[in-house]
C-alpha cells in the first residue's frame, strides 16, 4: 500500500534539504581552493606530458609521455613525494567538487521532459570526477612507492582479458568507447564547448580569446591522441597482439613512427602544452557547470 501523499511530500522535502546541505559543503571556499589546486596540478601534468613528448620527438630517452610518466617525473625531483601527496589531495578535492555538481541537477531526473538532458549532464559531471579521482589516487599511490607504467599495465589487462570467453569483444567495445571519447573531445575543441568550464563573467574580456584559442588547440590534440589510443586497442583485440595495446605513450610512439613523426609529435606536444595553460586559466576562473 502506497504512503499518503503528504508523507511522500515530506520525505521529498527532507531529501531536498539534505542535498542542499551537502551541496553547500561542496561550495565551501576551502574545497574550492583545493579544487583550484587540483586544476593547477592537472595543468602542470599536461605541461609535463608535452615536455616528455618533445623529448621523444627529439629522440631522447626519458619517462613515458603520459600521466604516469609525468607523475614519475615529479616523484624523481626534489621533494617529489610531498609534491605527489599535494597533487593527489588536490585532484581528489577536484573530483569531489566536480562530481558534486550532480547535486544541483539530480532533481531533473524526476522530470520526464528534462530527464534525458539531465542524465547527460550528470554523466558528464561524474565522468570528469572519475578522471580526476583516478589521477588523484594514482598520485597518492606513487607517493607511497607503488609505481607502475600505464602502458605496461594496459597490456597486462588486455592480455588477461583476451584469455576469457568473449574477451576480444569486450576489448573492442572498450576501444570503441575510447574512440568515442576522442571524437567527443575533438568536437568539443571545434565547437568551443569547453568554455563552459570557465567562469566567463569573472575572466577579463581581453583574456577570453587567448583562453579559447589555447583550449581549442588543446582539445583538438587530446582528441586525436585519445582516438588513436582506441584504434590501437582495437587492433590488439582484432589481432590478439597485445603489443599494440598501449595508452597515451603508445599513441605518441605511433605518431613518432610515421614519416613526419617528429614534427607531428611536436605539434601534439604543443597541443598538450596549450591544454595545460588552458587548465591553469580554468584554475583561475573555474566553473564546474557543464551546461551553463
Amino acid at each position: 500500500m502506497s504512503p499518503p501523499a503528504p508523507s511522500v511530500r515530506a520525505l521529498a522535502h527532507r531529501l531536498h534539504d539534505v542535498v542542499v546541505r551537502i551541496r553547500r559543503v561542496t561550495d565551501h571556499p576551502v574545497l574550492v581552493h583545493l579544487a583550484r589546486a587540483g586544476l593547477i596540478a592537472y595543468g602542470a601534468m599536461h605541461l609535463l606530458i608535452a615536455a616528455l613528448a618533445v623529448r621523444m620527438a627529439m629522440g631522447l630517452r626519458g619517462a613515458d609521455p603520459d600521466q604516469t610518466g609525468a607523475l614519475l617525473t615529479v616523484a624523481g625531483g626534489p621533494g617529489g613525494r610531498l609534491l605527489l601527496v599535494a597533487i593527489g589531495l588536490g585532484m581528489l578535492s577536484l573530483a569531489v567538487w566536480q562530481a558534486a555538481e550532480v547535486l544541483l541537477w539530480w532533481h531533473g531526473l524526476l522530470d520526464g521532459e528534462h530527464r534525458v538532458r539531465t542524465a547527460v549532464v550528470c554523466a558528464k559531471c561524474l565522468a570528469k570526477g572519475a578522471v580526476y579521482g583516478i589521477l588523484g589516487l594514482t598520485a597518492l599511490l606513487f607517493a607511497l612507492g607503488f609505481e607502475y607504467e600505464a602502458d605496461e599495465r594496459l597490456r597486462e589487462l588486455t592480455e588477461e582479458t583476451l584469455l576469457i570467453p568473449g574477451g576480444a569483444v569486450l576489448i573492442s567495445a572498450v576501444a570503441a568507447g575510447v574512440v568515442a571519447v576522442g571524437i567527443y573531445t575533438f568536437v568539443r575543441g571545434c565547437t568551443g564547448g569547453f568554455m563552459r568550464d570557465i567562469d566567463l563573467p569573472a575572466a577579463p574580456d581581453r583574456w577570453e580569446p587567448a583562453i579559447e584559442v589555447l583550449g581549442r588547440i588543446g582539445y583538438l590534440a587530446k582528441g586525436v591522441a585519445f582516438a588513436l589510443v582506441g584504434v590501437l586497442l582495437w587492433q590488439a583485440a582484432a589481432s590478439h597482439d597485445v603489443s599494440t595495446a598501449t595508452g597515451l605513450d603508445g599513441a605518441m610512439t605511433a605518431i613518432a613512427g610515421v614519416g613526419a613523426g617528429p614534427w607531428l609529435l611536436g605539434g601534439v606536444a604543443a597541443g598538450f602544452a596549450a591544454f595545460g595553460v588552458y587548465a591553469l586559466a580554468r584554475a583561475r576562473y573555474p566553473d564546474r557547470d557543464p551546461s551553463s
Side-chain angles (χ1 to χ4, degrees), residues 49-65:
I49 292 173
L52 294 172
V54 169
R55 287 181 59 86
M56 176 181 283
M58 297 173 63
L60 301 175
R61 296 181 62 85
D64 294 339

Side-chain angles (χ1 to χ4, degrees), residues 3 48 85 126 131 189 201 240:
L48 272 174
V85 170
L126 293 175
V131 170
H240 284 68

